[in-house]
Amino acid sequence: MIPRPVAAQHLARTALLRATSAYPSKALLNARRCLINAKQSSWREGQQQQRLYSGSATAAQSEKETITKLLYNIGSRKEVEQYLRHFSSVESQKFAVIKVGGAVLTDELDTLASAITFLNRVGLYPIVLHGAGPQLNNLLEGAGVIPDYHDGIRITDEKTLEIARKVFMAENLKLVEALERMGTRARPLPGGVFTAQYLDKEKYGFVGKITGVNKEVIEASIRAGALPILTSLAETPAGQILNVNADVAAGELARVLEPLKIVYLNEKNGLYNGETGKKIDVINLDEEYEDLLKQPWVKYGTKLKIKEIKELLDHLPRSSSVAIISAGHLHKELFTDSGAGTLIRRGFKLFHHSALDQLDTDRVRNIMEKEDPEVKSGQTSVSSYLHQLEESKKGFKAYGDEPYEVFAVVKNDDESGTGVPKLDKFIATKAAVLNNVTDNVWALLSKDYPSLTWVVDGNDANKGWHFDKAEGSFTKNGKTLFWKGLNDVSTIEKVVASFLDAQTNEAVNAATSGGSFASGQRRTFSTSTLSAGAKSSPFMGGRRMFSTSASAQRDVKKIGLIGARGYTGQELIRLVNSHPSLEIEYVSSRELEGKPLEGYDKKPITYVNLSAEQVKEKTQSGEVDAWILALPNGVCKPFVEAVESIEEGKKMVLCDLSADYRFDDTWTYGLAEFNRAKLPGATRISNPGCYATGSQMAIHPLLKHLGGTPTIFGVSGYSGAGTKPSPNNDVNNLKDNLIPYSLTNHIHEREVSRHLGHEVNFIPHVAPFFQGITLTVNLPLNKTMTSGDVREIYEEAYEGEKLVHVTKTVPWVKDNAGKHFVRVGGFGVHTSGKRVVVVATIDNLLKGAATQAVQNLNLSLGLGEYTGIPL
């Protein structure tokens, strides 16, 4: 064995050689840089005489980052990191089963060891199972034994089994030693994994049919930090060794472990079309299997292989797939969208419909609300878009897969006089991207539309995919026009001219109206010509994402505030005072009636004491655009009923800050980070509670990883107890004290459980400080995770969210008081890896109440989501 830095040097040199032939520019420079780093690491190793496998966590992380950067040579950073997160999201033994053919061990041993070492260096633990067919045949020939087969199965007598056992042991150790020479820990497991019974002793001799897989042997190897290297030899319960075909053994292993990937390594680098001689990139079994088997070139071994793979995948989760690839291209297959070998997956049958009544509109709504940035931002609604399709003069064609993980729409309308159909929408889930469903749908629509145009925003995270599919492009002002199948220069000129005209119209519209656009939304294959994003803002390059120009200010919305005496009411007044598009028209407080409103500079306002009937009258007269109900629990019902009793009240926006309507499905729950798509145009908004907001922020990203009931230990400043005197807001009572209250069934416990769809335990406390909340949340996990794994999940979940900050360290409540965002951090993981503690801090009066109300009003009233909120 050699030290890891020396292994890294070897890996870098290998990458350099490959980069020289495949990527002679940027990749070559990157590989050279990594090689220099590896050499320097090796020199330091020799100087410091470090012990084998020792070193700091920082060095290990640095090495992982270096290897990850090497992977960037074969694909984009986004692709590599996306697949790495995907593969790391499951338990170690569920990443991949790699079946290695005997010829690979003979001809490509170093390449194989290098490929496997790369995977291990980035934290992955593939389970390797190898055959030894060619080696066995050579030794049998030397011993004068003629290999014999029946039904494709090797007949195994005592002499053959004796030689096979020695061959498997030797080849197993050869691969282990090759890995160890590269500094990769590996454990030889030539036996003890498979139990079997005789397949047919009289017919095949010592050939086994696997009846069981000992997972513990494999898992113990991984826990010890060593890659398990298996042979296909099995044993009967009595200890008799039996020979099993390596492909069959790999399949049985996959059925038990249910890995994301089953990889068959061969020297051909995939399956090839027998007629064209071209490599098959993807086989979508649900869509293509029957037709594939009818092809004249699919016969003998190829047909058997495809049938066996289908039978295997039929019993595995749809997330599992098979890759047939050579050792030298393993990384490209695993870490890039384009792949390198042949990917075989179950997939789903694809559809293409040209009428709305043929679509499952509920599923269309689901994917659009989750993945379409225009719907998520409030620029359009699902129903509006479907109505546009229905009214389309020349029709449309929609494409997708059965579960609607991909949804694409091509409009036949010749809107610009170019005569070229337009790809109006192409949205997909992450799972669909990772499983190449997007490519399958693209292939289907391309058959129907050989000529096509589409537009993608410059911020689209999947822009590279579009460049790969297009034959030409034109970029201006942060948007890219793509086309394919256009061979006439005059047509391309018309298409580009239409694109520029659309941009001009968009700029005019943006300058004369304040649209409702959410910032920070990651675009997923969106192709709308008039899509909105940061590039359309007059504050390009700045931190703010939305226009607050004079033209936007002209459309001022009038607000009526009922219940302004409390702390939250005062914060609302301050926020509206600095808001460019909101003005207070009425402010109601029984205790402050007749007094001037202080802290509001836009115009003189006097407190009034509005009755429910007066609120009804002012709603009817159109004097206000929205009412904010900042009242205690159980008080606002008469005001709501008064507004709803008249026709004008149906369109009136009511934002209730109490808990009265948080359990009412006819009201929209106003937690925009998780419910943004439903807020634009909403007229009944229940503002979430302060504890409930922070708790959901702390738990939501881990919902699918929960292995039990989360427990929330919450501590609030005494402003949360309101202005009415009580022991919980008595400064003298709180001095040197921490007061628990409502130990079970607190209303926020019920609120959080309801809106997360998962039961939680909540224990609230009040502390001697005035403002702010800290929440320490204990989360049981359903799988082993590291602190880094958890943090990555949160960072990805809240990427682009302006009012959620993810921190590596534990956030402190004093640092968040007076801030308009939630901080989430800590991410302390128990040594078992099955429990994590997350800490969230939130200002109970701001993001926990007033700021959240303004955020909700902005979305409801068609203003920029964060307008008027200090960021």
Side-chain angles (χ1 to χ4, degrees), residues 86-87 90 94-97 254-263 283-285 309-310 312-323 343-347 431 434-435:
H86 179 55
F87 295 145
V90 296
K94 291 193 173 186
F95 158 50
V97 170
R255 286 185 177 89
V256 172
L257 298 177
E258 296 189 341
L260 292 174
K261 286 283 184 181
I262 303 99
V263 180
I283 297 175
N284 186 0
L285 291 173
I309 290 173
K310 183 180 187 303
L312 170 62
L313 290 177
D314 279 346
H315 295 88
L316 294 179
R318 287 193 181 268
S319 56
S320 297
S321 61
V322 168
L343 174 71
I344 305 176
R345 61 186 298 272
R346 288 171 66 191
L434 289 169
N435 289 304

Side-chain angles (χ1 to χ4, degrees), residues 223-235:
R223 285 196 300 270
L227 297 178
I229 311 299
L230 286 61
T231 72
S232 59
L233 292 178
E235 299 173 13

Side-chain angles (χ1 to χ4, degrees), residues 213-335:
V213 177
N214 184 2
K215 290 196 302 179
E216 178 56 33
V217 177
I218 296 169
E219 292 169 352
S221 176
I222 293 173
R223 285 196 300 270
L227 297 178
I229 311 299
L230 286 61
T231 72
S232 59
L233 292 178
E235 299 173 13
T236 66
Q240 173 62 53
I241 295 175
L242 298 176
N243 187 23
V244 177
N245 177 272
D247 284 351
V248 172
E252 292 300 326
L253 189 60
R255 286 185 177 89
V256 172
L257 298 177
E258 296 189 341
L260 292 174
K261 286 283 184 181
I262 303 99
V263 180
Y264 292 93
L265 294 183
N266 67 16
E267 64 280 3
K268 295 180 180 179
N269 196 42
L271 292 178
Y272 287 79
N273 185 304
E275 293 180 346
T276 66
K278 294 183 178 179
K279 179 170 61 64
I280 303 171
D281 292 324
V282 180
I283 297 175
N284 186 0
L285 291 173
D286 278 11
E287 182 74 15
E288 304 173 49
Y289 179 70
E290 292 180 3
D291 289 338
L292 188 61
L293 290 187
K294 295 176 184 177
Q295 299 297 317
W297 58 271
V298 179
K299 53 188 177 181
Y300 309 130
T302 301
K303 178 177 268 187
L304 179 62
K305 189 76 162 180
I306 293 172
K307 284 184 173 181
E308 288 177 345
I309 290 173
K310 183 180 187 303
E311 183 181 349
L312 170 62
L313 290 177
D314 279 346
H315 295 88
L316 294 179
R318 287 193 181 268
S319 56
S320 297
S321 61
V322 168
I324 301 175
I325 189 73
S326 68
H329 292 85
L330 179 60
H331 310 120
K332 188 170 177 62
E333 175 63 31
L334 292 178
F335 292 102

Side-chain angles (χ1 to χ4, degrees), residues 496-756:
V496 172
S498 174
F499 169 67
L500 294 174
D501 288 343
Q503 284 207 323
T504 301
N505 293 335
E506 181 181 5
V508 171
N509 291 337
T512 57
S513 65
S516 173
F517 301 65
S519 77
Q521 299 304 311
R522 179 182 296 177
R523 296 182 60 86
T524 308
F525 293 95
S526 177
T527 55
S528 171
T529 303
L530 298 179
S531 61
K535 295 292 184 183
S536 66
S537 170
F539 294 89
M540 286 168 57
R543 205 173 161 199
R544 299 191 63 179
M545 302 294 286
F546 305 96
S547 173
T548 54
S549 63
S551 62
Q553 293 180 41
R554 285 196 291 270
D555 186 19
V556 174
K557 304 296 183 181
K558 305 291 186 180
I559 301 299
L561 175 58
I562 302 175
R565 177 177 177 272
Y567 297 125
T568 297
Q570 296 304 306
E571 293 293 351
L572 274 166
I573 292 166
R574 277 191 278 272
L575 283 167
V576 174
N577 188 51
S578 60
H579 197 295
S581 300
L582 296 180
E583 283 187 1
I584 293 177
E585 190 67 18
Y586 293 100
V587 58
S588 177
S589 171
R590 180 167 50 85
E591 291 86 351
L592 301 175
E593 182 181 8
K595 296 182 180 180
L597 175 61
E598 297 180 356
Y600 187 74
D601 305 324
K602 293 185 177 181
K603 64 179 180 180
I605 296 285
T606 300
Y607 281 99
V608 292
N609 181 21
L610 295 176
S611 65
E613 187 62 28
Q614 288 172 313
V615 168
K616 173 182 173 181
E617 292 171 359
K618 297 185 186 307
T619 299
Q620 201 162 22
S621 65
E623 295 178 55
V624 296
D625 296 290
W627 293 101
I628 301 176
L629 306 173
L631 296 165
N633 293 343
V635 177
C636 68
K637 185 177 180 180
F639 296 97
V640 173
E641 290 179 342
V643 170
E644 292 185 336
S645 67
I646 56 175
E647 186 65 27
E648 293 84 354
K650 295 178 181 178
K651 298 180 180 179
M652 174 60 60
V653 175
L654 297 178
C655 183
D656 176 28
L657 273 59
S658 76
D660 290 6
Y661 295 96
R662 293 174 192 161
F663 302 86
D664 188 333
D665 289 336
T666 64
W667 284 57
T668 302
Y669 189 63
L671 191 49
E673 286 73 17
F674 309 133
N675 206 26
R676 184 172 280 114
K678 295 184 179 179
L679 285 163
T683 59
R684 301 292 182 268
I685 302 170
S686 58
N687 218 54
C690 49
Y691 273 131
T693 297
S695 297
Q696 289 178 78
M697 295 294 188
I699 297 171
H700 194 277
L702 283 179
L703 270 178
K704 66 179 182 181
H705 302 298
L706 290 179
T709 303
T711 298
I712 307 161
F713 184 93
V715 180
S716 172
Y718 61 84
S719 60
T723 56
K724 184 178 180 180
S726 75
N728 285 356
N729 59 18
D730 184 332
V731 177
N732 292 325
N733 188 47
L734 286 167
K735 184 178 179 181
D736 301 323
N737 203 1
L738 183 69
I739 304 175
Y741 64 100
S742 298
L743 300 183
T744 61
N745 296 315
H746 189 282
I747 193 166
H748 286 159
E749 179 177 273
R750 288 178 275 135
E751 180 182 347
V752 173
S753 297
R754 174 184 175 85
H755 292 286
L756 284 180

